[in-house]
């Protein structure tokens, strides 16, 4: 059983950091680039080790609490929430795909490692070949490499040149031959450094390959995609909740009643009240679905290699429900918040547009339509989703 006092302390730490991040979120969104100072604050906080078991120096939190902290950070700054959430996803990747995870967990705690992503299985430009001396040489390129800049270690994937097999490795971020490009110039998530990474004759040691059981190598390993979906879902929910909180503060502090409303304050306008009611219904039901899915993930995670395909399917389906609902709810809130804040809220210094930009950029990560297809197949035909990196 988790020490609830420890959990409360970690939430307090996260809330304090989130408040700090919120103070500069608008200006950093405009600047783009690497949030180096904020990443270092996360390193110092110990929050990078939430899911690392206590036996290896971590906090040993479950997924339900870990993801709620990801959501909390995302309310303040979804770019940092994105990087912070991927830290736990990449640590889970080590646990699920390889038998070296105990070493990497202990070293992550000792060295305060921030992990970066260069896995993107849909980008097949990276190739890896045996070097003839028991090691490997990595060549090529990867896109959508969130958090690679300033990462202590990277999770990378490449296709084996001889067999076409997908291999995944954990390598230092500063290894010779790695070039991390500052080419992320999208409209949202501007401080996630989600651009490209080049690999020029990069040496990979055999002990760095995650072979046992390997990517999606058994039922337990396929939980990786469920975790990924719930990390994204909590980022989206955090964006929606953060946008609503900022809109509320603006409505109460700066908005004016419309001259035809017959009231002297927007807090008395029935149309404004109705919209806030709608936003509340959307986000609270999304939160319930998201937390329910996290509890199913925790139950599946605890099963380890005893996890059955049926149990895995139920966790994946719950994650799909939560992702679809949260995407819709948060997109609606971030789009319509101007209806309760007014024309003055469109001023650039308010930065309200960043919520929709960040969310719209990220929700295109994998189409919600395919989650709905999976849910339809289950409901109509009783067919569970086929495990992949996205389902």
């Amino acid at each position: 059983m988790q020490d609830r006092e420890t959990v409360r302390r970690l939430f307090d730490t996260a809330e304090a950091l989130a408040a700090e991040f919120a103070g500069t979120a608008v200006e950093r969104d405009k600047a783009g680039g690497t949030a180096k100072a904020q990443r270092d604050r996360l390193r110092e906080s110990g929050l990078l080790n939430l899911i690392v078991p206590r036996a290896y120096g971590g906090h040993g939190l479950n997924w339900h609490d870990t993801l709620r902290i990801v959501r909390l950070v995302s309310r303040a700054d979804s770019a940092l929430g994105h990087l912070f959430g991927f830290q736990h996803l990449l640590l889970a990747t080590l646990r699920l795909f390889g038998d070296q995870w105990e070493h990497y967990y202990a070293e992550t705690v000792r060295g305060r490692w921030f992990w970066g992503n260069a896995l993107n299985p849909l980008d097949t430009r990276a190739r890896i070949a045996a070097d003839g001396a028991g090691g490997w040489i990595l060549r090529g390129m990867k896109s959508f490499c969130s958090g690679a800049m300033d990462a202590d270690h990277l999770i990378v994937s490449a296709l084996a040149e001889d067999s076409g097999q997908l291999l995944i490795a954990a390598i230092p971020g500063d290894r010779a031959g790695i070039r991390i490009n500052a080419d992320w110039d999208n409209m949202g998530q501007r401080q996630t450094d989600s651009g490209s990474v080049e690999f020029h004759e990069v040496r990979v040691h055999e002990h760095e390959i995650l072979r046992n059981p390997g990517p999606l190598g058994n039922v337990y390993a396929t939980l990786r995609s469920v975790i990924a979906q719930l990390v994204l879902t909590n980022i989206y929910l955090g964006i929606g909740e953060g946008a609503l909180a900022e809109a509320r503060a603006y409505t109460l502090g700066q908005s004016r009643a419309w001259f035809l409303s017959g009231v002297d304050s927007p807090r008395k306008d029935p149309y404004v009240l109705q919209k806030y009611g709608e936003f509340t219904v959307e986000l609270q039901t999304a939160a319930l679905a998201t937390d329910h899915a996290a509890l199913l993930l925790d139950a599946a995670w605890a099963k380890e290699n005893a996890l059955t395909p049926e149990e895995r399917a139920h966790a994946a389906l719950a994650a799909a429900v939560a992702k679809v609902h949260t995407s819709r709810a948060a997109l609606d809130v971030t789009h319509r918040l101007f209806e309760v804040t007014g024309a003055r809220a469109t001023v650039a210094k308010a930065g309200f547009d960043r919520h929709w930009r960040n969310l719209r950029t990220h929700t295109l990560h994998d189409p919600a339509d395919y989650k709905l297809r999976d849910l339809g197949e289950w409901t109509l035909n009783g067919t569970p989703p086929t495990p992949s990196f996205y389902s």
Side-chain angles (χ1 to χ4, degrees):
M1 180 177 294
Q2 290 182 303
D3 177 357
R4 299 315 297 177
E5 180 56 35
T6 298
V7 174
R8 183 65 262 166
R9 177 176 55 80
L10 291 169
F11 270 88
D12 289 344
T13 299
E15 287 173 356
L17 274 180
E20 179 183 318
F21 296 159
T24 58
V26 174
E27 63 184 70
R28 286 187 292 102
D29 168 74
K30 293 176 182 176
T34 304
K36 171 62 175 170
Q38 290 70 31
R39 287 179 65 123
D40 284 345
R41 293 286 286 136
L42 284 167
R43 284 183 171 97
E44 296 161 4
S45 71
L47 295 176
L48 297 180
N49 308 318
L50 293 179
I51 66 159
V52 175
R54 292 180 183 177
Y56 306 100
H59 299 297
L61 261 62
N62 60 24
W63 283 108
H64 178 264
D65 286 333
T66 296
L67 291 169
R68 286 175 61 216
I69 292 177
V70 170
R71 190 190 313 171
L72 193 161
V73 174
S74 299
R75 289 174 195 155
D77 185 326
S78 62
L80 290 171
H82 177 154
L83 300 177
F84 179 59
F86 271 36
Q87 167 80 2
H88 309 298
L89 171 62
L90 296 172
L91 288 172
T93 304
L94 293 166
R95 173 67 182 88
L96 294 171
F97 289 178
D99 52 14
Q100 314 95 309
W101 62 273
E102 293 174 299
H103 162 75
Y104 283 119
Y105 277 17
E107 288 301 300
T108 294
V109 174
R110 185 190 64 80
R112 296 179 176 178
W113 285 354
F114 216 130
W115 287 79
N117 177 52
L119 192 153
N120 187 4
L122 297 181
D123 187 342
T124 59
R125 291 176 293 172
R127 295 288 192 273
I128 192 167
D131 65 1
W136 300 83
I137 298 297
L138 175 63
R139 308 176 179 93
M141 192 172 190
K142 282 286 181 180
S143 57
F144 291 105
C145 298
S146 298
M149 194 79 69
D150 185 49
D152 301 289
H153 259 61
L154 296 171
I155 298 288
V156 304
S157 73
L159 297 180
E161 287 188 351
D162 58 349
S163 65
Q165 179 186 4
L166 179 69
L167 296 180
I168 294 179
I171 62 176
D174 61 355
R175 179 158 290 171
I178 296 176
R179 178 178 175 179
I180 301 172
N181 297 316
D183 55 358
W184 179 248
D185 190 29
N186 292 46
M187 70 176 182
Q189 297 297 88
R190 301 197 62 230
Q191 285 204 315
T192 59
D193 291 305
S194 293
S196 63
V197 175
E198 298 175 24
F199 303 99
H200 300 278
E201 306 297 313
V202 175
R203 182 165 299 280
V204 178
H205 302 293
E206 176 61 29
H207 67 264
E208 295 170 329
I209 304 288
L210 305 182
R211 286 195 179 278
N212 187 21
L216 311 180
N218 59 20
V219 176
Y220 188 49
T222 66
L223 281 182
R224 200 263 184 192
S225 55
V226 179
I227 296 167
Q229 293 299 308
L230 286 178
V231 167
L232 299 181
T233 298
N234 278 275
I235 294 169
Y236 304 168
L237 185 54
I239 293 172
E241 291 175 344
L244 180 59
E246 286 189 28
R248 178 181 182 273
Y250 193 94
T251 300
L252 293 176
Q254 298 188 56
S255 294
R256 299 179 183 179
W258 183 240
F259 75 101
L260 293 176
S261 66
V263 297
D264 60 2
S265 168
R267 69 171 62 205
K268 300 175 184 177
D269 188 316
Y271 297 113
V272 171
L273 292 171
Q274 177 182 334
K275 289 180 175 65
Y276 273 109
E278 291 171 349
F279 296 159
T280 299
V281 168
E282 290 175 324
L283 292 178
Q284 286 195 14
T285 53
L288 289 171
T290 299
D291 288 339
H292 171 68
L295 293 174
L296 290 184
L297 169 61
D298 273 322
W301 182 260
K303 291 273 188 172
E304 298 189 356
N305 290 329
L307 182 68
T308 67
E310 293 77 18
E311 291 166 333
R312 190 267 178 201
H314 285 296
L317 290 162
V321 169
K323 182 142 186 264
V324 170
H325 188 54
T326 299
S327 298
R328 289 175 170 177
L331 281 170
D332 185 59
V333 171
T334 56
H335 170 65
R336 293 204 296 143
L337 66 82
F338 295 99
E339 297 173 15
V340 296
T341 53
R344 289 180 179 82
T346 62
V347 65
K349 69 178 181 180
F352 285 129
D353 61 302
R354 78 187 191 282
H355 299 300
W356 181 86
R357 288 188 288 102
N358 289 334
L359 187 63
R360 183 70 282 183
T361 298
H362 214 319
T363 51
L364 298 173
H365 179 269
D366 57 304
D369 288 343
Y370 287 87
K371 299 293 178 291
L372 290 168
R373 185 191 65 176
D374 285 346
L375 292 166
E377 282 282 6
W378 172 255
T379 301
L380 185 61
N381 300 318
T383 305
T386 301
S388 73
F389 278 97
Y390 295 92
S391 62

